[in-house]
Amino acid sequence: MIGVFLVFPGLWTLYIGATNFRLTGVSAREPDFVGLDNFERALTDQTFYHSLWLTLIFVFGSAVVGQNGLGFTLAWALRDARKWIRRTLEALVLLAWILPSSVVAFLWIAMLDRDGGTINALLGTVPGIAWTVEYPLLSIIVFNIWRGTAFSMMLYSAALSSIPPSHLETARLAGSSGTQTLRDVVFPHIKRHALTNTLLITLWTFNDFTPFLITASDYDAEIIATFIYNKAIVGGEMGYSGAISLLVLLMNLLLALVYLRVARRRLA
Amino acid sequence: MAGIEISALTKEFPGGVQALNGLDLSIADGEFFALLGPSGCGKTTLLRTIAGLETPTSGSVRIGDRDVTRLPPGARNVAMVFQDYALFPHMTIEDNIAYPLKIRRQARETRLKHAHDVGSQLGLDGLMRRRPAELSGGQQQRVALARAVACHPSAFLFDEPLSNLDARLRLEARTFLKRLQRQLGVTTVFVTHDQAEALALADRIAVMEAGRIRQIGTPREVFGRPANTFVAGFIGSTPMNLLPGVVRDGAVLVAAQQLSVLDVPDGEVVVGVRPEYVAVTENGPLAGAVATVENLGTSSLVTVDVDGLSIGAVVPEDREVEPGTRVALNPTRVLVYRDGELVS
Ligand SMILES: Nc1ncnc2c1ncn2[C@@H]1O[C@H](COP(=O)(O)OP(=O)(O)OP(=O)(O)O)[C@@H](O)[C@H]1O
Ligand SMILES: [Mg+2]
């Protein structure tokens, strides 16, 4: 099963990446084998690097810092809150996570809209700012933080509740401040969880396509998933986008390996 | 160093559990004080309220000459040893011991030196670079003690610190703890549900039941003259005989036999006698057949049926009797309880 669902698409991508397969035209019927040409082209393509750079900012800003940070902060702040407050907030945050992408994207388009958008109404900006046009990258970063925080929050909540209360109380009795307690007791306890969480949300965000639904093909927010889509479906260059997909796959693999290494070394 | 004053302390948990019920207690400076009682009687809650980890519903706590009722735990200068020791798994032993000093912003060198001094005082030399997981239970317990000692608190608060040790180690640790407390002379409150531990360690004991204190006294007082039938039944490794009896013209009668003459008003009473104070003899006021014999090591607990009452007596190992034999019992140090309270 795993072979069919993972290996076959993998090999297919590899094959496609090595051809000049197009959606339309002559080479759609009879793609020629072009070897490493597509890969060579990718490595010299400025737009590819541009997209990669945007992806890096997007992943770092929205996942590594945003979701991680906000998720942990929420979990930490809510740990002593009353039950109903915690339940309500958890439900709200979870809703953002489980709603279908299309619904969520529509909500955000409405929220960020220039005329009559919720954000502009809240900020009282007249005339309104067209957020998705003027700050496309920021828009999708904020969007993705909002979208994915639930997972981090739940994971950190579980991690925090695994800290023995007596450890936190020992810190309190010693007169430890909030930051000191976080440094000496909390982080050492949850760093394994933090690493796993960071790996998961990084990979998800790296490959996330939902931002496209908000910023469409805007060049200033053309993260890698959008880039591949634009090349393959809009541009019709299946071969080239296949090659890039493969490169992205390799990057993800590399990332996972680095994480695992760090996990084994630092936490052993 | 300081004494601890507790007055009218009440703690009600959300949901209406009354864990402490108008409790008054005064612990002297340097005293080794045990809180003893059955499970759920509020010992831990009292200790945590002294530490500041729980906020009392009403009443006050004073440590030394300060009212600490509204102070956070960190400002009370007390050290607590938890049942699970609460050692930080990611820190070495020396860092664990020095942890409270780190919070007080002592330089790393100073605090590690201090940690090593305390560590060697507690027999932890050679273990200082290890992690808690690499230590035995007894060693971990001493590390937890060392961490408490290292921060020079005005009081130690121990919540069943010996309960995770096996029986043999527990005795060792008990002796160790008592000597350490003598050396340091720091006021110590010790929670336990093991009456033998409390008797062995404490200068004074408070016996608690359902959020109230039923008796405070030295181990001798609590053991020899329990103030009520609850304490009488709780203290002692063999349960005290609590027998229905009557007092007629000052004579205390059990099973229609006179045990002693005491200056108490006539009426129905409960007569308490420790098995240790019941002699098995040829002629005594009570007579009956031996039902069971339980070996206690250097002595045996003999249960005798006297007119339908079961009376326990402890006999030394060279005076053992066979089940079925008829014997006479001669109780001494007879206590008389009326309505559950000691009257004589
Ligand atoms: N956080 C809490 N919330 C609600 N009730 C509690 C809480 N902590 C303790 N209680 C209740 O308060 C009472 C006293 O509990 P406490 O832990 O002080 O007992 P204890 O004497 O230490 O018992 P043990 O010997 O089993 O440790 C119990 O009835 C317990 O159920
Ligand atoms: Mg307890």
Side-chain angles (χ1 to χ4, degrees):
Chain A
M1 281 300 264
I2 295 176
V4 174
F5 284 105
L6 279 178
V7 176
F8 180 71
L11 289 176
W12 181 244
T13 316
L14 184 61
Y15 165 70
I16 293 230
T19 65
N20 66 351
F21 185 56
R22 294 185 61 91
L23 271 184
T24 50
V26 186
S27 40
R29 223 174 329 126
E30 292 165 5
D32 289 329
F33 192 74
V34 294
L36 294 177
D37 278 7
N38 282 328
F39 296 94
E40 217 180 298
R41 182 178 152 202
L43 294 178
T44 52
D45 185 349
Q46 281 309 309
T47 58
F48 173 62
Y49 284 115
H50 166 82
S51 168
L52 213 54
W53 174 241
L54 288 181
T55 310
L56 222 63
I57 298 174
F58 177 64
V59 168
F60 191 77
S62 72
V64 178
V65 174
Q67 294 179 8
N68 240 345
L70 189 63
F72 177 79
T73 310
L74 281 174
W76 179 248
L78 287 178
R79 102 209 105 104
D80 290 329
R82 289 180 188 281
K83 212 169 189 168
W84 68 268
I85 298 182
R86 204 170 61 210
R87 290 272 173 282
T88 319
L89 225 121
E90 273 173 7
L92 281 178
V93 178
L94 213 70
L95 207 61
W97 205 55
I98 55 174
L99 280 177
S101 300
S102 49
V103 176
V104 160
F106 178 76
L107 275 175
W108 272 73
I109 289 170
M111 216 153 78
L112 296 171
D113 190 36
R114 181 164 59 126
D115 311 306
T118 321
I119 302 254
N120 285 327
L122 280 178
L123 294 177
T125 32
V126 180
I129 301 169
W131 294 96
T132 52
V133 179
E134 284 176 54
Y135 306 100
L137 189 60
L138 185 67
S139 293
I140 60 172
I141 285 177
V142 173
F143 161 78
N144 194 45
I145 293 176
W146 174 85
R147 185 96 215 268
T149 292
F151 181 80
S152 299
M153 185 180 109
M154 303 296 272
L155 193 136
Y156 282 123
S157 285
L160 287 177
S161 65
S162 75
I163 302 176
S166 63
H167 289 207
L168 295 168
E169 286 168 350
T170 299
R172 274 175 76 197
L173 279 162
S176 162
S177 68
T179 18
Q180 283 172 325
T181 307
L182 285 176
R183 180 196 65 196
D184 296 329
V185 184
V186 178
F187 287 144
H189 245 290
I190 62 164
K191 60 185 173 186
R192 214 174 266 275
H193 300 90
L195 210 69
T196 311
N197 187 49
T198 310
L199 172 61
L200 287 176
I201 59 179
T202 298
L203 292 181
W204 289 338
T205 305
F206 210 101
N207 303 313
D208 189 15
F209 182 63
T210 326
F212 174 82
L213 301 177
I214 293 177
T215 52
S217 304
D218 194 318
Y219 182 67
D220 289 326
E222 193 178 42
I223 54 170
I224 208 77
T226 310
F227 181 78
I228 293 170
Y229 174 84
N230 282 342
K231 281 283 174 292
I233 311 298
V234 182
E237 300 175 274
M238 289 299 278
Y240 184 43
S241 68
I244 288 174
S245 299
L246 205 70
L247 287 175
V248 170
L249 192 77
L250 286 176
M251 274 182 247
N252 285 343
L253 217 62
L254 203 71
L255 216 61
L257 285 176
V258 169
Y259 269 114
L260 288 179
R261 254 201 105 104
V262 172
R264 207 165 301 152
R265 221 179 299 109
R266 298 282 301 279
L267 306 178
Chain B
M1 256 156 263
I4 300 172
E5 265 335 297
I6 287 160
S7 45
L9 199 69
T10 297
K11 172 72 189 180
E12 192 179 324
F13 282 109
V17 182
Q18 189 94 5
L20 300 175
N21 210 331
L23 204 130
D24 295 298
L25 186 61
S26 168
I27 299 168
D29 185 10
E31 195 171 21
F32 200 142
F33 195 92
L35 295 173
L36 178 64
S39 190
C41 71
K43 307 178 297 284
T44 299
T45 308
L46 177 55
L47 198 74
R48 291 170 56 83
T49 313
I50 297 174
L53 297 171
E54 304 283 357
T55 324
T57 313
S58 65
S60 71
V61 180
R62 299 179 66 84
I63 300 177
D65 44 18
R66 285 195 304 167
D67 185 336
V68 298
T69 317
R70 300 286 147 204
L71 286 185
R76 298 186 180 203
N77 195 30
V78 295
M80 193 153 169
V81 173
F82 292 87
Q83 195 171 355
D84 63 359
Y85 312 139
L87 301 178
F88 301 136
H90 54 277
M91 287 187 193
T92 58
I93 300 308
E94 54 183 8
D95 285 332
N96 262 291
I97 298 176
Y99 171 73
L101 306 175
K102 179 182 178 189
I103 298 300
R104 292 181 191 174
R105 301 190 190 286
Q106 281 193 12
R108 186 169 167 81
E109 227 162 88
T110 333
R111 63 175 197 252
L112 284 188
K113 183 174 178 310
H114 190 68
H116 278 267
D117 289 347
V118 174
S120 66
Q121 193 184 348
L122 275 87
L124 293 168
D125 287 315
L127 305 175
M128 300 297 277
R129 287 285 160 79
R130 299 207 198 159
R131 308 249 163 168
E134 297 158 2
L135 262 54
S136 74
Q139 290 167 335
Q140 288 181 20
Q141 193 256 355
R142 272 182 284 151
V143 174
L145 276 179
R147 182 169 63 187
V149 171
C151 63
H152 295 298
S154 42
F156 289 136
L157 306 174
F158 296 154
D159 192 359
E160 311 210 14
L162 306 182
S163 62
N164 280 346
L165 304 178
D166 64 54
R168 188 180 186 80
L169 208 55
R170 203 142 147 188
L171 286 183
E172 252 170 58
R174 202 158 92 176
T175 316
F176 182 83
L177 196 64
K178 178 128 183 165
R179 191 166 45 204
L180 186 73
Q181 202 270 343
R182 283 273 171 283
Q183 267 171 25
L184 301 171
V186 177
T187 314
T188 303
V189 186
F190 184 97
V191 164
T192 178
H193 59 250
D194 180 347
Q195 51 86 32
E197 206 166 277
L199 290 173
L201 282 171
D203 296 324
R204 283 197 305 151
I205 299 173
V207 184
M208 294 178 62
E209 184 196 14
R212 294 172 195 276
I213 291 180
R214 299 304 306 269
Q215 183 174 11
I216 300 182
T218 62
R220 193 173 297 281
E221 287 164 2
V222 173
F223 184 80
R225 294 187 62 77
N228 44 60
T229 46
F230 172 77
V231 177
F234 194 75
I235 299 270
S237 44
T238 52
M240 188 188 264
N241 297 301
L242 292 169
L243 312 165
V246 287
V247 177
R248 216 170 284 146
D249 300 330
V252 181
L253 307 177
V254 169
Q257 303 296 318
Q258 179 173 331
L259 298 192
S260 66
V261 180
L262 293 168
D263 184 19
V264 284
D266 289 359
E268 302 224 330
V269 292
V270 170
V271 175
V273 192
R274 288 214 177 276
E276 291 86 349
Y277 300 149
V278 178
V280 177
T281 55
E282 278 83 51
N283 43 39
L286 303 169
V290 174
T292 58
V293 178
E294 292 167 47
N295 196 322
L296 303 178
T298 59
S299 58
S300 294
L301 175 64
V302 176
T303 311
V304 180
D305 275 332
V306 179
D307 282 355
L309 298 175
S310 280
I311 303 180
V314 171
V315 297
E317 52 188 338
D318 52 351
R319 300 280 313 277
E320 272 162 32
V321 286
E322 290 299 314
T325 26
R326 282 197 71 80
V327 293
L329 299 174
N330 187 16
T332 51
R333 307 201 200 187
V334 173
L335 303 167
V336 176
Y337 296 92
R338 179 167 286 151
D339 300 329
E341 297 299 317
L342 184 67
V343 287
S344 177

